[in-house]
């Protein structure tokens, strides 16, 4: 069925897209990358990433099995199925890595290194061509942007992984002290790429709501917003129904920050022209027997986790449950990584948050393509 017509279309696309892509490569180094539209992102990413995927050659050889509407690049692959495949990740232990990266890992004395990858055999993963972004790809993508991460210790670990990606491992060691000062905010600017990053230490969902109101009043919005709270609440309040009430209030406060779309329009409030990409950082799997205090073991049970999760579901805050925010599903990731990836039953190894960072960046790419 793969006839001359499709091949002609493909050839025409190559002729058209490659030069445009090259133009995109030069232009991509500014903040417009996020917002100047999907075509631009498709091109820039295509050019940055094509060398890393075998896709182009395999695409041509395997395109006879492609539906004719998806002959060109992953942008034509179904957006929803790509979004839903993003968490199809597996973790494995890589012993060789420590030999390859002689210098950095020998200093920590680690022989074994946990790694992660998208499940190769997964159809959605194959079609969507998710990529672990390199430092320079991530820098290009985030160049000039303002990222705000607000939440508890999980959010802080997420910030560490994001900074590891854009700064590199050595640089992060320098800032690790500041970053890990408990219960404090952290602000930094990655000068080389002009990325501004704010970490805001937040205990409760109600604090996130206050933050949303503050941003709305100031009318300045970050480009990427990652929020999440729950663990602290579970330990110190331990009341799922109350949690549900505050999540619903948070949702109401988030709505005006989002682009107006028919299903999200709550009232006829004016909406900012530039809306942030918003992510909800889910709670990890809790392993009660490994938690480090009696109080935690008593209150932070599996049953309580599910009660809290049910409230999140009912509040329709995250998109999986019909809401506006993209869920970074730390529970799914941490369960896949398992007991071997945690020492205290609630904070997981960097590899889990690293995977979450790459899920977030790939989600941004998929979203941007969708806007075409
Ligand atoms: C970031 O963008 C600026 C221009 O806005 C450019 O000069 C700089 O080289 C870019 N940096 C990276 C790492 O892409
Ligand atoms: C690895 O480390 C050893 C000593 O620690 C050093 O002699 C060797 O040159 C290193 N290899 C590489 C590839 O860096
Ligand atoms: C966070 O929320 C709690 C409970 O609603 C409140 O007691 C606390 O003052 C808030 N913290 C900040 C910094 O607003």
């Amino acid at each position: 069925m793969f006839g001359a017509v499709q091949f002609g279309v493909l050839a025409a696309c190559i002729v058209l897209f490659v030069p445009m892509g090259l133009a995109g490569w030069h232009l991509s180094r500014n903040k417009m990358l996020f917002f100047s539209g999907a075509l631009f992102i498709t091109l820039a990413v295509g050019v940055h990433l094509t060398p890393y995927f075998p896709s182009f050659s395999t695409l041509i050889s395997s395109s006879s099995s492609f539906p004719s509407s998806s002959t060109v690049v992953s942008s034509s692959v179904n957006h929803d199925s790509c979004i839903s495949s993003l968490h199809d990740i597996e973790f494995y232990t890589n012993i060789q890595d420590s030999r390859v990266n002689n210098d950095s890992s020998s200093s920590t004395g680690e022989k074994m290194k946990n790694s992660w990858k998208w499940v190769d055999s997964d159809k959605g993963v194959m079609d969507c061509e998710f990529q672990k972004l390199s430092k320079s790809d991530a820098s290009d993508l985030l160049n000039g942007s303002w990222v705000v991460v607000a939440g508890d210790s999980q959010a802080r670990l997420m910030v560490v992984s994001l900074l590891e990606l854009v700064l590199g491992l050595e640089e992060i060691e320098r800032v690790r002290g500041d970053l890990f000062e408990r219960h404090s905010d952290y602000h930094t600017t990655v000068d080389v790429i002009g990325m501004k990053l704010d970490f805001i230490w937040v205990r409760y969902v109600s604090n996130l709501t206050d933050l949303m109101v503050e941003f709305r009043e100031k009318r300045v919005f970050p480009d990427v917003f990652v929020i999440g709270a729950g663990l602290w609440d579970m330990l110190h309040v331990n009341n799922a129904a109350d949690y549900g009430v505050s999540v619903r209030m948070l949702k109401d406060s988030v709505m005006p920050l989002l682009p107006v779309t028919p299903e999200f329009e709550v009232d006829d409030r004016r909406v900012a022209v530039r809306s942030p990409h918003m992510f909800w950082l889910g709670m990890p799997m809790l392993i009660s027997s490994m938690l480090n205090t009696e109080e935690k073991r008593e209150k932070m049970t599996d049953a309580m986790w599910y009660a809290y999760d049910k409230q999140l579901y009912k509040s329709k805050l995250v998109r999986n449950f019909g809401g506006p925010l993209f869920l970074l599903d730390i529970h799914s990731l941490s369960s896949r990584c398992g007991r071997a990836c945690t020492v205290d039953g609630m904070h997981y190894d960097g590899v889990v948050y690293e995977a979450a960072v790459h899920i977030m960046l790939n989600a941004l790419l998929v979203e941007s393509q969708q806007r075409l």
Side-chain angles (χ1 to χ4, degrees):
M1 278 304 291
F2 185 66
V5 174
Q6 277 99 332
F7 196 79
V9 170
L10 181 62
C13 287
I14 293 170
V15 169
L16 178 68
F17 277 68
V18 169
M20 287 174 79
L22 290 170
W25 190 77
H26 293 296
L27 291 169
S28 71
R29 297 169 189 288
N30 63 52
K31 68 191 304 175
M32 294 302 288
L33 192 56
F34 268 137
F35 301 100
S36 64
L39 177 61
F40 190 83
I41 299 234
T42 311
L43 296 174
V45 169
V47 169
H48 288 307
L49 299 185
T50 310
Y52 307 125
F53 2 119
S55 72
F56 220 63
S57 45
T58 49
L59 184 65
I60 293 173
S61 58
S62 69
S63 49
S64 49
S65 62
F66 272 60
S68 57
S69 62
S70 65
T71 18
V72 189
V73 263
S74 54
S75 61
S76 46
V77 171
N78 184 284
H79 160 262
D80 291 332
S81 79
C82 282
I83 290 292
S84 65
S85 301
L86 269 168
H87 285 86
D88 294 343
I89 275 177
E90 61 192 358
F91 294 89
Y92 58 96
T93 305
N94 193 344
I95 303 168
Q96 275 187 328
D97 257 14
S98 57
R99 279 185 233 134
V100 177
N101 282 337
N102 206 350
D103 44 5
S104 57
S105 34
S106 64
S107 62
T108 63
E110 275 174 7
K111 288 255 162 53
M112 312 253 267
K113 186 174 177 293
N114 285 327
S115 293
W116 64 276
K117 63 182 172 72
W118 275 285
V119 181
D120 302 325
S121 55
D122 185 284
K123 171 102 176 42
V125 168
M126 270 156 48
D127 288 353
C128 304
E129 295 171 339
F130 304 131
Q131 292 298 311
K132 284 193 193 186
L133 301 198
S134 67
K135 181 178 171 181
S136 73
D137 292 327
S139 303
D140 276 354
L141 181 62
L142 296 171
N143 192 351
S145 55
W146 177 22
V147 178
V148 173
V149 182
D152 52 22
S153 48
Q154 301 290 318
R156 197 188 297 272
L157 291 168
M158 185 82 184
V159 169
V160 174
S161 287
L162 180 61
L163 285 177
E164 266 176 13
L165 181 62
V166 297
L167 290 176
L169 281 173
E170 279 153 41
E171 192 67 11
I172 187 96
E173 288 308 324
R174 216 173 42 77
V175 300
R176 196 175 280 272
D178 299 335
L179 195 49
F180 273 96
E181 205 172 301
R182 266 166 68 88
H183 308 176
S184 65
D185 295 354
Y186 176 75
H187 307 278
T188 189
T189 306
V190 181
D191 291 330
V192 238
I193 58 168
M195 181 185 89
K196 185 161 168 263
L197 183 134
D198 293 321
F199 168 73
I200 303 168
W201 163 253
V202 156
R203 292 171 176 80
Y204 297 106
V205 170
S206 61
N207 302 131
L208 290 174
T209 308
D210 293 346
L211 196 62
M212 296 303 132
V213 172
E214 220 175 280
F215 275 110
R216 198 171 70 206
E217 279 167 1
K218 287 195 212 140
R219 293 177 180 278
V220 286
F221 304 111
D223 305 308
V224 179
F225 221 143
V226 183
I227 59 176
L231 291 175
W232 191 277
D233 192 288
M234 198 184 289
L235 182 61
H236 297 280
V237 182
N238 205 241
N239 183 324
D242 283 358
Y243 181 74
V245 171
S246 34
V247 173
R248 278 186 284 280
M249 284 170 68
L250 173 64
K251 187 193 165 195
D252 293 343
S253 74
V254 162
M255 284 312 193
L257 306 188
L258 296 167
V260 188
T261 57
E263 67 259 63
F264 292 149
E265 198 170 5
V266 265
D267 48 35
D268 32 73
R269 192 183 278 281
R270 192 196 141 273
V271 184
V273 183
R274 218 179 65 161
S275 305
H277 296 262
M278 297 199 76
F279 295 86
W280 177 257
L281 193 63
M283 287 192 288
M285 172 175 76
L286 299 168
I287 306 178
S288 296
S289 61
M290 295 176 83
L291 296 172
N292 56 14
T293 67
E294 187 54 44
E295 191 188 11
K296 284 181 187 166
R297 285 191 289 275
E298 195 179 295
K299 292 182 173 163
M300 304 177 87
T301 59
D302 236 18
M304 193 49 85
W305 190 94
Y306 281 102
Y308 270 62
D309 193 53
K310 190 170 160 209
Q311 292 298 329
L312 192 64
Y313 165 81
K314 281 168 70 182
S315 71
K316 292 191 168 34
L317 178 70
V318 298
R319 222 180 284 171
N320 314 38
F321 306 145
L325 268 57
F326 182 95
L327 174 67
L328 295 170
D329 194 343
I330 302 295
H331 188 262
S332 158
L333 295 174
S334 55
S335 344
R336 285 162 193 247
C337 206
R339 302 175 78 91
C341 298
T342 176
V343 288
D344 66 2
M346 65 192 261
H347 301 104
Y348 284 78
D349 293 351
V351 67
V352 167
Y353 305 97
E354 184 192 312
V357 163
H358 285 272
I359 288 174
M360 180 179 89
L361 297 177
N362 276 267
L364 289 171
L365 295 172
V366 173
E367 298 277 276
S368 315
Q369 291 178 344
Q370 169 70 0
R371 293 192 181 172
L372 190 58

